[in-house]
Amino acid sequence: MTVLTSTTALAQAPSILDVGDGVVLPILLKVALVLGLFFVVPLVGGYLEHKVMGRMQNRRGPVEAGPFGSLQLVADGIKFIQKEDIIPRAADKPMFALAPGLALVPALLVFLVIPLGPGVFAVDLELGLFYALAITSISVLGILLGGWASANKFSLIGGLRAGAQLIAYELPLIITAITVAVMAGTLSLVGIVEAQANFTLPGLEGFNLWFVFPQIVGFAIFFVAAMAELSRPPFDMPIGDSELVFGYMTEYTGIKFAMFLLTEYAGMITMSALMVVLFLGGWQILPGVATPGCEGAAGIMSCDPIGIAISVLVTLAKIMGLVFLMVWARVAYPRLREDQLQRISWLVLVPLSLANLAFVTILTVVL
Amino acid sequence: MSDLETTERVLPSNAPGEDVAFEILGDGDFPTAEMSLSIGPAHPATHGVFRIVLDLDGERVRGARPVIGYMHRGFEKLAEYRDYRQIAALTNRHDWLSGFCNELGVAIAVESMLELEVPDRAQWIRMLMAEWNRILNHLMFIGSYALELGAITPMFYAFREREDIQHLMESATGGRLHFTYNQPGGVKIDLPKGFLKRSAEISKVTRERFDDYVDLVLGNEIFQGRTVGVGPLPQDVALSLGITGPTLHATGIAEDSRVTEPYLKYGDIDVEVPLGENGDAFDRFYVLLHRIRASLDIIDQIHDHMPAGPVNSKLPKMVKAPEGAIYVRTENPLGQLGYWLESDGGRTPWRFKMRTPSFSNVQAIPYLMQGALLPDAISILGSVFFVVGDIDR
């Protein structure tokens, strides 16, 4: 019987943070990495959203807080901490307090498995993809709980809409992720990146492709489903500020409200990161291009420090590119109606993703 | 309690575009309760302090009751203690988005009672300003309606155009919202130098940008999905409720007092009235948007006609309307505005009654919302185009 420790539990590729022989130091470093990612990258994404929206809407976005307004979200966070924490008298107090945490913690835990570069991750689980998708769907529990415990009709409708939306969009999301796993032959996120670096279409050997090219339909389904699951406009019916005031967040103030907001931004980043890993070749610069300073399989593994830095920057740039697309959709489109959203999922996305899965599976078996 | 042995197939009757049959397990007696949801008086979609009480079954609206009066400021009574020049400053406040058009009604009423001949230039200036004010109003509603459907960007685009136009009107009147530019006998002061040139420039720019709104909002698939077939208003219902303006034109009735009963010099120029077909939310928005283009056409014609001459007529320091009463109706941006002015020969009106378009238009809300979904209810609420101050006065 094997003993499971932090470094061996289901883990495959070693992390660069596994330094020394001890157990404590690697764990501390990994916690620092995950917390750093969680608190910094979403803020960068949020800043990008503010600025991009501003420019698209004939205004400048934040300019005052920090250089070019880059500390606006930090300032907002400080403001939220200072605000009075109001709990409605009719609310179910323990549940009301629990809800933002229940939404936030899963968003934090996903960062455990997200690989930013060769070795730059906390842990490479064998079931990394499964873990990431399973953990992200816990967030909606917090949202449902918040909607119910607020004792507010707008919150209730918002919470129930979020629940309905999750059930509808989790399905195409997971089916598409399975399709990619079938193509890669592994559920490990690092393994999927490696598989993409070696992927070629039959008949075109020697011509490396990312999964987004053969799987453009799958990528589109995943992108739409991810936006719907994150309640990002045009799928923001659970918040729907012109209908439901602020949906499940209506009664929340101060730090609890900030936790919900941070969940949304972190979700944007994790979903984008998953898309980068599943479809856009992870930290590879371009299909078939080796990263400078790296050697090993397809020239993206076993890197020196410069290669690692380049890889991390490439991943972050790809993530921000996807965040940009999400912001663009927010600026360009009005909100769908809940029944239209359900119809898109059940009548279009689910059959399409199932057909896609069947097609890919048959091809994989045959070839 | 529900009996899960029996099954029943039902077709939801009211849902828009429903062709999917649902199978209900059990005897369908799943216990549900209607929920009463009070939207407003402080709610993002009511732009002001309008309140509407919805009876909801899930997300479906079973009944809607508008509650008005949160913004009653007693303008009709206040007007009885103001002289005829001062009333202009009251009337441009009930519908704050069409200040100039409101003042115009009072000025015309007093002039008609005095049987006063207003100088030509003053009349053409009034028309020019009224049409610019109409565009200002419609731009605002284009932005706010898109916002109600969840699109944030059109609001900022609309305000870009509004800013130019407000600068233009400010250069002549000194006001951005409350112009107080009309007086019995004409307008307060002549146009500043270069006004017509600037006006023509802005007209050209706005016309170019008009296509953007058509492409970006009217042509957007989600926008169409949210508005086509939502809240259709039949012609007979519209007429029996006294609905006017874009909401009436969307049903296909071309009643516009600039055409049917021309005031000022509207008889001398071509006035186009854009019409809809089905009277649904999409048609209402279509009409509103195309009224901007129609107003730009009118403005271009006014530039060609603008005569020289005085802009005001000599009147005594205290204007006193002769004894009698008059009803004046003008085409306001949101519909027909009527002023009933009754004078006993004194320096203030004896009775001043307003017939405001928003008040009549919101009467359609209970009819339109019956059976709609909650998001559609918001779509309908925005598409009847009202200003809360204009309802409550």
Side-chain angles (χ1 to χ4, degrees):
Chain A
M1 189 176 164
T2 52
V3 180
L4 298 181
T5 66
S6 78
T7 46
T8 58
L10 300 172
Q12 297 185 307
S15 163
I16 52 163
L17 301 174
D18 289 328
V19 287
D21 299 325
V23 177
V24 179
L25 183 63
I27 289 183
L28 284 179
L29 283 175
K30 285 172 182 175
V31 168
L33 173 77
V34 169
L35 284 181
L37 283 179
F38 182 66
F39 284 111
V40 176
V41 185
L43 293 191
V44 177
Y47 175 65
L48 184 78
E49 170 166 40
H50 278 172
K51 274 297 188 190
V52 168
M53 270 177 71
R55 291 294 170 184
M56 285 180 174
Q57 294 176 339
N58 195 33
R59 49 194 183 90
R60 293 176 65 197
V63 287
E64 295 292 343
F68 303 101
S70 55
L71 298 179
Q72 183 63 49
L73 280 169
V74 179
D76 283 349
I78 294 171
K79 181 194 74 180
F80 281 130
I81 293 170
Q82 293 169 335
K83 291 271 180 186
E84 187 189 355
D85 183 28
I86 301 169
I87 299 178
R89 191 176 297 149
D92 185 344
K93 287 181 187 64
M95 295 300 129
F96 185 81
L98 181 64
L102 199 53
L104 186 78
V105 171
L108 168 70
L109 290 179
V110 188
F111 281 95
L112 265 180
V113 291
I114 286 174
L116 290 180
V120 189
F121 43 77
V123 61
D124 173 30
L125 292 178
E126 200 178 334
L127 291 170
L129 183 57
F130 174 79
Y131 168 84
L133 292 173
I135 286 282
T136 44
S137 45
I138 296 179
S139 277
V140 80
L141 263 184
I143 291 170
L144 264 173
L145 203 60
W148 186 263
S150 291
N152 178 316
K153 291 168 183 172
F154 292 112
S155 300
L156 177 63
I157 296 177
L160 291 181
R161 280 184 182 183
Q165 207 158 311
L166 178 95
I167 292 167
Y169 279 85
E170 195 80 331
L171 213 51
L173 193 82
I174 290 175
I175 293 173
T176 316
I178 293 171
T179 314
V180 171
V182 168
M183 286 176 81
T186 172
L187 281 170
S188 149
L189 292 178
V190 178
I192 290 173
V193 173
E194 228 178 319
Q196 281 186 79
N198 297 318
F199 179 76
T200 53
L201 280 180
L204 286 169
E205 275 81 9
F207 188 66
N208 181 217
L209 279 178
W210 291 342
F211 286 160
V212 67
F213 298 106
Q215 273 296 318
I216 186 72
V217 176
F219 179 67
I221 294 172
F222 198 94
F223 189 78
V224 171
M227 287 220 294
E229 182 160 340
L230 294 172
S231 304
R232 289 283 304 172
F235 306 109
D236 60 335
M237 296 70 137
I239 298 166
D241 51 343
S242 59
E243 297 155 26
L244 300 181
V245 188
F246 222 64
Y248 54 87
M249 292 188 262
T250 305
E251 294 289 356
Y252 281 94
T253 53
I255 188 71
K256 292 193 182 112
F257 178 72
M259 282 162 85
F260 271 128
L261 273 194
L262 190 59
T263 307
E264 186 186 330
Y265 282 124
M268 250 164 91
I269 299 297
T270 47
M271 278 298 171
S272 302
L274 276 181
M275 277 184 265
V276 168
V277 168
L278 295 181
F279 296 100
L280 298 175
W283 57 85
Q284 200 179 13
I285 299 173
L286 280 173
V289 176
T291 312
C294 294
E295 48 195 45
I300 60 164
M301 306 306 270
S302 346
C303 300
D304 60 15
I306 297 175
I308 289 175
I310 293 175
S311 302
V312 170
L313 286 179
V314 167
T315 311
L316 289 178
K318 285 177 183 174
I319 290 175
M320 289 307 153
L322 288 172
V323 170
F324 174 82
L325 281 183
M326 290 186 183
V327 174
W328 195 358
R330 176 178 181 186
V331 171
Y333 285 111
R335 185 181 305 122
L336 277 163
R337 213 167 51 206
E338 189 65 34
D339 61 313
Q340 293 168 335
L341 174 99
Q342 298 287 345
R343 189 160 295 147
I344 291 177
S345 173
W346 294 108
L347 298 185
V348 181
L349 294 186
V350 171
L352 207 60
S353 53
L354 277 173
N356 190 21
L357 175 63
F359 181 69
V360 168
T361 314
I362 291 168
L363 276 192
T364 314
V365 171
V366 169
L367 294 175
Chain B
M1 275 291 104
S2 155
D3 172 19
L4 289 175
E5 293 304 309
T6 57
T7 58
E8 181 198 1
R9 287 177 67 81
V10 289
L11 284 163
S13 52
N14 273 324
E18 290 281 11
D19 43 9
V20 187
F22 292 106
E23 195 154 321
I24 291 187
L25 280 177
D27 54 7
D29 266 350
F30 185 66
T32 60
E34 284 202 354
M35 178 169 92
S36 149
L37 184 68
S38 174
I39 294 184
H43 183 275
T46 57
H47 33 107
V49 281
F50 181 70
R51 177 168 168 227
I52 182 155
V53 182
L54 298 178
D55 295 326
L56 287 180
D57 179 8
E59 291 228 8
R60 195 162 297 281
V61 178
R62 293 286 172 229
R65 277 162 290 141
V67 183
I68 65 170
Y70 289 93
M71 213 184 195
H72 180 65
R73 289 162 292 172
F75 282 143
E76 294 180 358
K77 195 69 188 165
L78 285 172
E80 292 172 18
Y81 299 92
R82 303 285 187 281
D83 74 34
Y84 292 103
R85 286 195 183 96
Q86 289 171 330
I87 291 177
L90 282 181
T91 49
N92 63 25
R93 276 163 172 79
H94 63 82
D95 175 358
W96 50 74
L97 292 175
S98 8
F100 189 88
C101 303
N102 299 342
E103 310 168 2
L104 192 59
V106 186
I108 292 176
V110 178
E111 285 154 11
S112 310
M113 288 185 82
L114 288 169
E115 294 176 4
L116 188 70
E117 197 59 46
V118 181
D120 271 1
R121 185 173 171 82
Q123 299 207 24
W124 285 101
I125 291 176
R126 281 176 174 180
M127 271 164 68
L128 181 63
M129 293 292 184
E131 294 307 319
W132 274 128
N133 199 179
R134 198 180 309 278
I135 293 175
L136 271 185
N137 175 301
H138 290 350
L139 280 171
M140 180 76 198
F141 276 98
I142 283 166
S144 72
Y145 185 50
L147 197 63
E148 265 145 39
L149 295 179
I152 35 184
T153 313
M155 193 68 158
F156 292 101
Y157 278 55
F159 268 74
R160 182 185 61 186
E161 264 76 88
R162 271 176 64 86
E163 199 59 32
D164 286 348
I165 299 170
Q166 281 187 323
H167 267 298
L168 179 77
M169 293 187 76
E170 191 184 358
S171 73
T173 64
R176 286 167 60 87
L177 211 56
H178 305 307
F179 305 104
T180 329
Y181 189 49
N182 276 300
Q183 286 178 344
V187 295
K188 200 165 67 181
I189 193 169
D190 201 354
L191 298 176
K193 205 177 158 194
F195 183 91
L196 290 180
K197 183 161 166 281
R198 183 81 189 116
S199 174
E201 280 169 18
I202 293 176
S203 160
K204 188 159 163 283
V205 171
T206 311
R207 199 183 288 275
E208 281 162 10
R209 288 172 178 173
F210 174 79
D211 294 335
D212 291 349
Y213 291 105
V214 176
D215 292 346
L216 294 177
V217 185
L218 217 51
N220 187 305
E221 296 84 358
I222 298 181
F223 180 83
Q224 291 174 359
R226 287 295 307 277
T227 52
V228 173
V230 171
L233 185 64
Q235 290 191 346
D236 53 337
V237 177
L239 287 177
S240 65
L241 290 172
I243 284 157
T244 52
T247 314
L248 180 71
H249 298 161
T251 66
I253 300 175
E255 163 59 36
D256 184 321
S257 60
R258 289 176 297 171
V259 179
T260 51
E261 199 179 287
Y263 52 99
L264 298 178
K265 298 285 183 188
Y266 280 113
D268 296 357
I269 54 175
D270 297 328
V271 178
E272 187 204 333
V273 182
L275 292 179
E277 285 170 10
N278 309 318
D280 57 7
F282 182 81
D283 278 8
R284 288 193 277 275
F285 189 81
Y286 171 89
V287 167
L288 190 83
L289 195 56
H290 281 267
R291 271 162 69 105
I292 292 184
R293 193 183 38 72
S295 283
L296 286 171
D297 289 345
I298 296 174
I299 284 170
D300 289 348
Q301 292 181 57
I302 295 171
H303 289 151
D304 300 336
H305 278 87
M306 185 66 78
V311 295
N312 213 333
S313 31
K314 271 241 175 290
L315 280 178
K317 193 161 182 182
M318 191 54 70
V319 180
K320 285 182 180 166
E323 204 174 332
I326 193 166
Y327 180 74
V328 169
R329 65 191 192 118
T330 54
E331 183 70 16
N332 242 33
L334 298 179
Q336 206 111 107
L337 177 76
Y339 285 134
W340 167 257
L341 182 62
E342 205 168 334
S343 168
D344 57 359
R347 52 186 280 266
T348 60
W350 186 80
R351 173 87 173 98
F352 186 65
K353 166 88 178 77
M354 300 168 177
R355 183 260 181 236
T356 49
S358 303
F359 179 80
S360 306
N361 288 358
V362 295
Q363 309 303 326
I365 286 178
Y367 175 87
L368 291 175
M369 282 191 184
Q370 188 77 36
L373 292 166
L374 178 60
D376 282 346
I378 301 298
S379 172
I380 290 166
L381 188 70
S383 72
V384 292
F385 307 128
F386 60 86
V387 169
V388 179
D390 202 30
I391 302 173
D392 296 346
R393 310 197 280 259

